[in-house]
Amino acid sequence: MKYCQFVFVVYCLLQPVYSDFPDFVSGFGLTVTNFSKVNEQLCDVTVQSHEVKGDQQIRILLPQNYTTSGKTRRYPVLYLLHGGMGGAEDWTQKGGIAQQILGNLSLITIMPNGDPFGWYTNWVNPGKAAPQNWRTFHNEQVVPWIDANLRTVARKGGRAIAGLSMGGFGAVRYAEVYHQLYNYTASFSGAIDLLNWGVQAVIFGSEAADKKAVNGPFGVPFLTTPSSGWVIENPITHAELLRDVNIALYSGNQGIIELAMHDCNNHMNRTLNSLNIPHYYDFYGNGKSIGHGCHGKHEWPCWNAALMDVAPKMMAVLEQE
């Protein structure tokens, strides 16, 4: 009997303990299928949705004092989007220091999967990959689900969204379409001009390589009629919708890809200026001005540096409760 009790105690001690994380429950069109703890602040929740195909990972970074701050303490939320060929774990694995940058702040950070080439939009022609409604999934399902499962400041004043490259497009476009949801948007080397031929070529090539319809996300590439998805979904086209959103843009100019992203951000900068919409634009060129190992290229040291730079700007305007 004593031996059995001993074995049972050892078994219990060896089981993972998740008491420092909330019990994530299904809702708002999301079905929770798995939970895993990465470290004391970081966890992964897997969900399924009728809006997008397959299992979707959501990586969540909680503030250090989340479990000890009391049931009435609520935190603002940053939705941090990955780039092309990436996934939910990119900011903490490939980038490596997102938790170091954000983990000490009074901030919940949500890093959802957006598919390696999902382009943060509801696809015009998903074909066999259907459904591909990433915009609906993130904004109409993930956002309210997070508010229901975590102690968030569940209003516009308590939300920010940021992303790199493809995710930079998503951050700005989401802030336009759902400007009632987001207080702050930040784009790091963002592909925020869909009429840029370099951006169209990248999207065309990536979807072909991913064996999906090349006209999937925005329609037939290189077609710029007013009814084209490339025009309708272009952040430049709808820049006026950002008037009540805080905006930060970052880009370098080293290498072919980053040069194209610079052209996109420069175009958005000029557009916002013409509309008299206040914003912050950091064109760091070869990277020396922003530092932290950035050489102005389309790469992680620059995106980490941009995240370091924008974090206090976001925190200055995000509401605490």
Side-chain angles (χ1 to χ4, degrees):
M1 185 66 178
K2 290 182 179 180
Y3 174 77
C4 292
Q5 289 175 336
F6 172 77
V7 170
F8 178 74
V9 169
V10 171
Y11 171 80
C12 290
L13 290 173
L14 290 176
Q15 299 311 299
V17 178
Y18 301 133
S19 59
D20 48 345
F21 287 95
D23 294 324
F24 291 94
V25 298
S26 302
F28 299 93
L30 302 184
T31 301
V32 176
T33 61
N34 191 47
F35 171 88
S36 60
K37 178 179 176 180
V38 180
N39 59 45
E40 294 305 312
Q41 288 181 259
L42 200 64
C43 70
D44 290 328
V45 182
T46 304
V47 300
Q48 291 183 342
S49 165
H50 292 301
E51 295 295 340
V52 288
K53 188 176 183 178
D55 290 339
Q56 303 302 326
Q57 178 186 354
I58 302 173
R59 179 154 286 194
I60 299 172
L61 175 64
L62 296 180
Q64 284 187 341
N65 67 342
Y66 184 86
T67 59
T68 60
S69 59
K71 293 182 179 180
T72 61
R73 177 69 165 98
R74 293 184 172 274
Y75 297 84
V77 182
L78 167 62
Y79 288 86
L80 190 57
L81 309 180
H82 66 79
M85 298 185 291
E89 73 286 346
D90 276 16
W91 275 102
T92 55
Q93 288 188 0
K94 292 182 180 179
I97 61 172
Q99 183 169 350
Q100 179 182 333
I101 297 169
L102 303 172
N104 293 323
L105 303 178
S106 294
L107 178 73
I108 296 170
T109 304
I110 307 299
M111 294 161 276
N113 180 50
D115 192 73
F117 302 108
W119 281 97
Y120 298 101
T121 192
N122 291 352
W123 283 32
V124 172
N125 178 34
K128 294 180 180 179
Q132 294 284 308
N133 296 320
W134 294 100
R135 188 169 67 208
T136 300
F137 168 65
H138 288 134
N139 297 280
E140 298 180 25
Q141 294 185 320
V142 173
V143 169
W145 178 79
I146 287 295
D147 287 339
N149 279 277
L150 296 173
R151 302 195 316 273
T152 67
V153 178
R155 56 182 178 269
K156 176 185 175 76
R159 294 192 198 94
I161 188 165
L164 70 92
S165 194
M166 179 181 81
F169 164 83
V172 174
R173 188 70 185 113
Y174 284 1
E176 291 178 340
V177 178
Y178 297 92
H179 53 93
Q180 77 279 10
L181 292 183
Y182 301 106
N183 182 346
Y184 205 112
T185 184
S187 171
F188 314 139
S189 304
I192 53 177
D193 183 2
L194 291 182
L195 297 186
N196 181 287
W197 279 51
V199 170
Q200 292 193 21
V202 167
I203 296 174
F204 178 87
S206 64
E207 300 307 337
D210 203 32
K211 298 181 180 179
K212 293 177 181 174
V214 295
N215 63 339
F218 305 108
V220 179
F222 312 113
L223 180 66
T224 58
T225 61
S227 61
S228 164
W230 301 91
V231 175
I232 294 172
E233 298 299 336
N234 191 8
I236 303 289
T237 306
H238 305 283
E240 173 65 36
L241 295 174
L242 296 172
R243 188 168 296 280
D244 63 344
V245 180
N246 293 283
I247 309 161
L249 309 174
Y250 293 81
S251 71
N253 66 354
Q254 302 297 299
I256 295 174
I257 296 178
E258 191 63 18
L259 274 172
M261 298 307 104
H262 167 60
D263 289 344
C264 292
N265 283 269
N266 199 36
H267 190 183
M268 177 62 85
N269 176 53
R270 295 196 308 269
T271 301
L272 293 172
N273 283 335
S274 70
L275 294 170
N276 294 314
I277 296 178
H279 62 286
Y280 176 80
Y281 179 37
D282 188 342
F283 167 52
Y284 48 76
N286 62 10
K288 288 184 178 179
S289 62
I290 200 167
H292 301 286
C294 172
H295 297 293
K297 298 181 179 180
H298 203 69
E299 58 187 14
W300 278 105
C302 297
W303 303 325
N304 282 333
L307 182 60
M308 289 182 214
D309 187 77
V310 82
K313 295 177 174 62
M314 286 183 178
M315 295 303 294
V317 299
L318 285 174
E319 296 175 9
Q320 301 283 336
E321 185 177 306

